[in-house]
Amino acid sequence: MLTSVFISVIAGAICLLFAILYKKNVKARMALGIVGVVLLFYGGFAYGAMKPLAYLEMFDTGNKLQVEYPIKKVQVLSPIDGDAVKCRILTMGVYPETHDKDIWVLLKPSDEKYYPQSDYTNTSYKEKGNWQVVTRFGGDQGEAYDLFVYETDASASQFFSETIAKWKAADDYVGLQMEELPTGATEIDRIQVTLEGNCRGIH
């Protein structure tokens, strides 16, 4: 299918080129031009149907603490403790320049299990003293969540990444018990938030 799309595009381009360069017959030039445009449109539409745009996830941001400089520790800036949050938010924070470990956000809802959060980079995105990760909630309106920040070594990061991949493949997000958390993960900050609306079934 992809080959026929490329053939259509190439043929359309050739027809347009001949339509531009062929000077002797106006009707032939117009016919070649029309055919070329149709083939190019078809090729572009067919390619777009086969290669659709990636899904763009929407998320909200919560309230934000004022940053105190110099930054001495990894901490959450948004959301803040006690916030009512939406189903998908961007959790943001800061870290000292000397910090060289991965940062993970884990949620603990009322089932007392831990749910590591990730976007397409798995670990939280870090740059120039700031970190962030898309955080997804899946409970009932008013449900309280503990939001933990962990720093991890390479083996703990790998464990969380593999766990998320396994949950996604099975479409079954079962959570982790406290004793299942890897030894290379150390809690460094936590806050508590509640859900502003019903997020059940959203992830």
Side-chain angles (χ1 to χ4, degrees), residues 11 29 52 65 74 90 97 126 140 146-147 173 197 199:
R29 289 179 65 191
L65 291 176
V74 177
L90 188 66
E97 290 184 8
K126 293 174 66 178
D140 299 314
D146 289 320
L147 187 153
Y173 298 82
C199 301

Side-chain angles (χ1 to χ4, degrees), residues 73-75 99 102-103 148-151 186-190:
K73 63 178 183 177
V74 177
Q75 60 180 319
H99 190 269
D102 291 333
I103 297 172
F148 293 89
V149 179
Y150 279 79
E151 63 179 16
T186 304
E187 180 191 334
I188 51 178
D189 198 8
R190 76 163 78 176

Side-chain angles (χ1 to χ4, degrees), residues 5-23:
V5 170
F6 285 130
I7 291 173
S8 297
V9 171
I10 291 170
I14 291 172
C15 287
L16 280 178
L17 184 63
F18 272 104
I20 293 168
L21 297 177
Y22 189 63
K23 305 291 185 182

Side-chain angles (χ1 to χ4, degrees), residues 8-137:
S8 297
V9 171
I10 291 170
I14 291 172
C15 287
L16 280 178
L17 184 63
F18 272 104
I20 293 168
L21 297 177
Y22 189 63
K23 305 291 185 182
K24 294 183 179 180
N25 190 319
V26 175
K27 289 184 178 180
R29 289 179 65 191
M30 289 181 61
L32 285 170
I34 292 170
V35 171
V37 169
V38 169
L39 287 172
L40 286 174
F41 269 110
Y42 168 77
F45 177 80
Y47 183 78
M50 288 188 301
K51 301 283 185 179
L53 293 174
Y55 169 69
L56 182 62
E57 183 171 20
M58 304 299 292
F59 52 82
D60 291 283
T61 55
N63 295 313
K64 192 173 183 180
L65 291 176
Q66 292 294 318
V67 181
E68 294 183 12
Y69 294 98
I71 297 167
K72 298 179 180 178
K73 63 178 183 177
V74 177
Q75 60 180 319
V76 180
L77 294 184
S78 180
I80 63 174
D81 192 44
D83 258 357
V85 299
K86 297 186 183 295
C87 300
R88 290 188 182 95
I89 63 167
L90 188 66
T91 300
M92 298 178 284
V94 291
Y95 64 91
E97 290 184 8
T98 55
H99 190 269
D100 59 358
K101 292 188 175 181
D102 291 333
I103 297 172
W104 283 83
V105 168
L106 277 73
L107 296 179
K108 187 174 78 168
S110 56
D111 67 1
E112 297 296 313
K113 293 182 179 180
Y114 293 80
Y115 297 83
Q117 302 296 297
S118 74
D119 48 28
Y120 298 108
T121 61
N122 274 337
T123 59
S124 297
Y125 175 75
K126 293 174 66 178
E127 184 179 14
K128 297 179 180 178
N130 295 283
W131 62 266
Q132 64 183 40
V133 66
V134 177
T135 308
R136 304 166 184 87
F137 298 85

Side-chain angles (χ1 to χ4, degrees), residues 166-186:
K166 183 171 64 176
W167 290 350
K168 283 183 177 179
D171 194 23
D172 189 15
Y173 298 82
V174 295
L176 297 168
Q177 300 289 348
M178 178 68 177
E179 58 271 18
E180 294 180 280
L181 298 182
T183 55
T186 304

